[in-house]
Amino acid sequence: MRVHDAERTRQYRARGWWGDTRLHDLLERNARAAPAREALVDPPNLAQVTGDAPQRLNWAEVAGLVERLAATLLALGLRKDDVVVVQMANTHELPCVYLACARLGVVASPVVAQGREHELGHAIERTGAVALVVRARIGAHDHAAMAAALAARHRGVRRVLACGGGPLPAGGVDLRAEMAAPPLLAQARAQALAEHDARAAVDADDAVTILWTSGSEGRAKGVARTHNDWLLYGPQIGAAYGVGDGVRLLNGRPLATHGAVVGSLTPWLFHAGTLVNHHPFSLPVFLEQLKRERIDFTALAPAILVSLLAQPELLEGVDFTRLRHVGSGSAPLTEAVVRGFRERFGVEVINFFGSTEGASLVSAPQDMPDPARRALYFPRFGVPGFDWQHPAHRLVETRLVDPASGEEIAAPGRVGEMLYRGPMVMSGYHGEPELSARALDAQGWYRSGDLFEISGERAQYYRFAGRAKDIIVRGGFNISAEEVENLVASHPAVADVAVVGYPDERLGERVCACVVLRPDAVLDLPSLAAWLRDERHVAATKRPERLMLLPALPRNPNNKVLKARL
């Protein structure tokens, strides 16, 4: 599946940004160069999450597993340019599914483990997926049964492939059992895979994934990425953290999200590292992994960093001679956090700002040694007249424009919308030409909907000033307020609704539904949450955690809801 047009591909290849290396080429390189090095580590609490015993695989074992998995998927009928929707926990199997699909030219479209029929059904419809690959059980939820029910409603879905979890629903295929083929069948499948490799001609410009982002349009939008897109990130993350070959990293974010793929999978693959998985997020388990697994870098939300500074005893036993950098993002940092981790632990907190569409800024120590500035500002990457040490500045152009007029803003004192252009920026939303045209102008600039202001004594910085798009950031997840409004509005008791975020010390924001009831109707938060779960099959992260009943929503003379007042 091609993602980028021929001219864009030609330009970026000519500049050396894109090439011919594919993700599975790096896998083969790592297996040859460091076969015995530990590559993938499962969460220690995996038995409670999925019922499996946790495993630890070296690079040779990962390469062998991916080989068998690719051969099995091929034998089950998956072919180049097919799309599969994937829903799995953060275990060693998920990166292997991605790599096996990449080798076949099959496009993986992952959905977070919290997703339910609402989210998976949307992904199936928008991508035309021919198969679902799921973990049979995650926590108490039967994902295999949910996938089978969805497949029955979507005629294009030919296969439901499940890993583990006991008896499967009718039509479900036990992927692990299929992979444990008798020797003669395994040999025949390996031969078929070799013939496929020679015939299918998967190259670095083919799509690997379709990831999902939420915005103000009220539904998730798919962003397709190629081998070349993902391979840009590995060296950038390594440069930000000052790490290289054999790095050990701990990932606590869902490996179905852009941030986790960029911040964990790409440096793991690029540097032949060790990826220590974590799922679901539990601070005690996460801290124990930090102490036991000799971690070189990780990422945590600002609220978690604040709580750790307030309870430094929780970090006793962490090897800070190795863990010298921690990434953060999804919410503003404070000087106290950046300075506190440096002075107390010798740890530099890296300030990241990005999006699935390709917005990309990083405030790292080599460019922002002062903690106060690193917490508040980002370098003006890609702006003529400024040079920065982090390599990302050569891969992205940025500029500010007035949101109403489109006039460029080049001096401090005015807030504008940030626009991005470069090889990390998407070419458009998958199957959404109208939304793509609104997000990207004719010159390829991505309108991010994020508001910034130019700052600094030489106008060398950007300062984040807020979001123009109507989203709520809960624990690092972007939630479309409009999507939740549409869901709540379909409740029979609701006459009018607006959804807003409210502050939360741990998650940054939580979801509040401000509701006007129909005459004589009654509604409380537990019944609304249960209805969204049982009738609309909505992920728990999107269900309101506060309900505010009002006689009317505040509106301006143009009838627009005044969300700031709410």
Side-chain angles (χ1 to χ4, degrees):
M1 179 188 295
R2 294 299 183 179
V3 174
H4 308 295
D5 64 54
E7 179 57 23
R8 185 182 192 193
T9 300
R10 186 195 64 76
Q11 289 182 9
Y12 291 161
R13 279 178 167 270
R15 297 182 186 184
W17 292 340
W18 292 351
D20 296 317
T21 303
R22 303 160 301 179
L23 298 183
H24 48 289
D25 293 328
L26 293 186
L27 170 63
E28 293 173 4
R29 180 203 66 183
N30 297 344
R32 288 193 305 269
R37 180 183 295 165
E38 200 166 53
L40 290 171
V41 178
D42 279 337
N45 58 331
L46 190 60
Q48 290 75 46
V49 179
T50 68
D52 288 324
Q55 296 189 40
R56 309 176 82 97
L57 277 66
N58 61 34
W59 277 103
E61 291 166 333
V62 170
L65 177 57
V66 170
E67 176 96 5
R68 294 193 303 278
L69 182 54
T72 302
L73 295 176
L74 183 66
L76 290 172
L78 293 181
R79 295 295 183 266
K80 187 175 186 291
D81 295 336
D82 282 344
V83 178
V84 298
V85 169
V86 179
Q87 187 178 49
M88 303 181 74
N90 281 4
T91 73
H92 73 276
E93 288 175 314
L94 184 50
C96 292
V97 166
Y98 291 159
L99 289 168
C101 288
R103 177 166 175 179
L104 295 176
V106 171
V107 183
S109 184
V111 176
V112 296
Q114 299 95 322
R116 295 296 181 259
E117 288 93 332
H118 175 74
E119 290 79 20
L120 267 74
H122 177 75
I124 294 168
E125 290 171 1
R126 299 311 305 169
T127 63
V130 303
L132 306 180
V133 180
V134 301
R135 187 61 185 74
R137 176 180 70 82
I138 303 175
H141 189 69
D142 190 338
H143 289 263
M146 179 177 68
L150 283 166
R153 297 201 295 269
H154 296 272
R155 298 181 62 183
V157 177
R158 304 193 301 265
R159 296 279 191 181
V160 173
L161 311 177
C163 295
L168 299 178
V173 176
D174 186 332
L175 194 52
R176 291 179 185 168
E178 284 289 331
M179 290 172 61
L184 288 178
L185 179 57
Q187 185 177 359
R189 287 179 173 180
Q191 179 61 35
L193 179 62
E195 293 171 359
H196 171 275
D197 290 345
R199 181 179 65 253
V202 175
D203 67 38
D205 295 316
D206 282 321
V208 176
T209 56
I210 299 174
L211 300 186
W212 297 93
T213 181
S214 293
S216 59
E217 289 81 13
R219 64 179 187 269
K221 303 179 294 296
V223 177
R225 295 289 188 184
T226 69
H227 297 261
N228 273 322
D229 288 320
W230 287 127
L231 289 176
L232 282 174
Y233 286 102
Q236 293 181 55
I237 299 299
Y241 287 109
V243 296
D245 183 62
V247 61
R248 295 181 64 88
L249 56 104
L250 173 59
N251 172 59
R253 296 172 292 180
L255 284 172
T257 63
H258 182 265
V261 174
V262 166
S264 296
L265 280 182
T266 63
W268 164 70
L269 198 55
F270 188 82
H271 294 294
T274 302
L275 176 60
V276 179
N277 290 298
H278 178 90
H279 185 105
F281 189 81
S282 164
L283 188 57
V285 176
F286 193 89
L287 292 173
E288 191 62 28
Q289 289 178 286
L290 271 184
K291 296 169 186 177
R292 290 188 175 184
E293 296 290 351
R294 298 173 289 117
I295 298 301
D296 294 309
F297 80 79
T298 190
L300 285 166
I304 300 295
L305 296 177
V306 170
S307 67
L308 291 175
L309 270 184
Q311 305 173 79
E313 66 277 6
L314 294 177
L315 291 170
E316 290 180 5
V318 175
D319 184 0
F320 289 113
T321 65
R322 293 191 66 132
L323 183 65
R324 305 306 301 271
H325 299 85
V326 172
S328 195
S330 78
L333 283 168
T334 65
E335 177 186 355
V337 165
V338 181
R339 189 178 299 281
F341 268 83
R342 172 192 281 182
E343 294 178 351
R344 184 178 289 271
F345 306 112
V347 171
E348 298 287 0
V349 177
I350 315 297
N351 193 359
F352 287 98
F353 188 95
S355 73
T356 307
E357 290 91 343
S360 185
L361 297 173
V362 57
S363 190
Q366 58 263 51
D367 290 319
M368 296 283 198
D370 177 51
R373 294 195 172 194
R374 196 186 318 153
L376 188 61
Y377 301 124
F378 294 93
R380 289 182 69 194
F381 282 171
V383 175
F386 300 111
D387 194 23
W388 306 97
Q389 294 186 47
H390 192 275
H393 83 95
R394 293 189 292 271
L395 298 172
V396 61
E397 298 175 85
T398 59
R399 63 190 182 102
L400 292 187
V401 300
D402 183 275
S405 67
E407 174 194 358
E408 185 154 0
I409 298 171
R414 291 174 61 189
V415 171
E417 181 182 12
M418 180 74 81
L419 274 59
Y420 300 84
R421 185 169 66 180
M424 292 182 291
V425 174
M426 68 173 185
S427 287
Y429 296 116
H430 180 75
E432 302 276 11
E434 293 183 2
L435 293 180
S436 300
R438 293 210 297 266
L440 294 158
D441 69 14
Q443 287 74 46
W445 289 95
Y446 163 58
R447 305 179 181 98
S448 69
D450 298 312
L451 303 177
F452 283 82
E453 181 181 13
I454 295 171
S455 303
E457 62 278 3
R458 296 187 295 113
Q460 73 271 42
Y461 303 137
Y462 289 124
R463 181 187 66 82
F464 179 64
R467 294 189 300 271
K469 291 184 176 181
D470 194 5
I471 61 173
I472 299 162
V473 183
R474 183 192 186 278
F477 287 96
N478 285 353
I479 298 169
S480 165
E482 184 179 338
E483 180 185 12
V484 181
E485 286 167 353
N486 292 338
L487 291 163
V488 173
S490 63
H491 190 286
V494 174
D496 201 3
V497 58
V499 168
V500 296
Y502 66 94
D504 180 81
E505 289 186 359
R506 186 172 69 87
L507 296 174
E509 290 181 295
R510 292 180 185 266
V511 179
C512 175
C514 307
V515 168
V516 178
L517 294 177
R518 295 185 184 279
D520 302 322
V522 176
L523 186 67
D524 59 20
L525 182 61
S527 62
L528 174 61
W531 185 84
L532 288 170
R533 180 193 66 215
D534 299 334
E535 299 297 326
R536 300 307 303 270
H537 308 294
V538 176
T541 50
K542 298 178 183 177
R543 298 174 207 154
E545 295 164 279
R546 178 175 291 179
L547 175 64
M548 185 162 60
L549 298 178
L550 299 171
L553 297 180
R555 296 180 181 272
N556 66 13
N558 294 322
N559 205 39
K560 183 177 181 180
V561 176
L562 300 173
K563 288 199 169 183
R565 184 178 297 176
L566 293 175

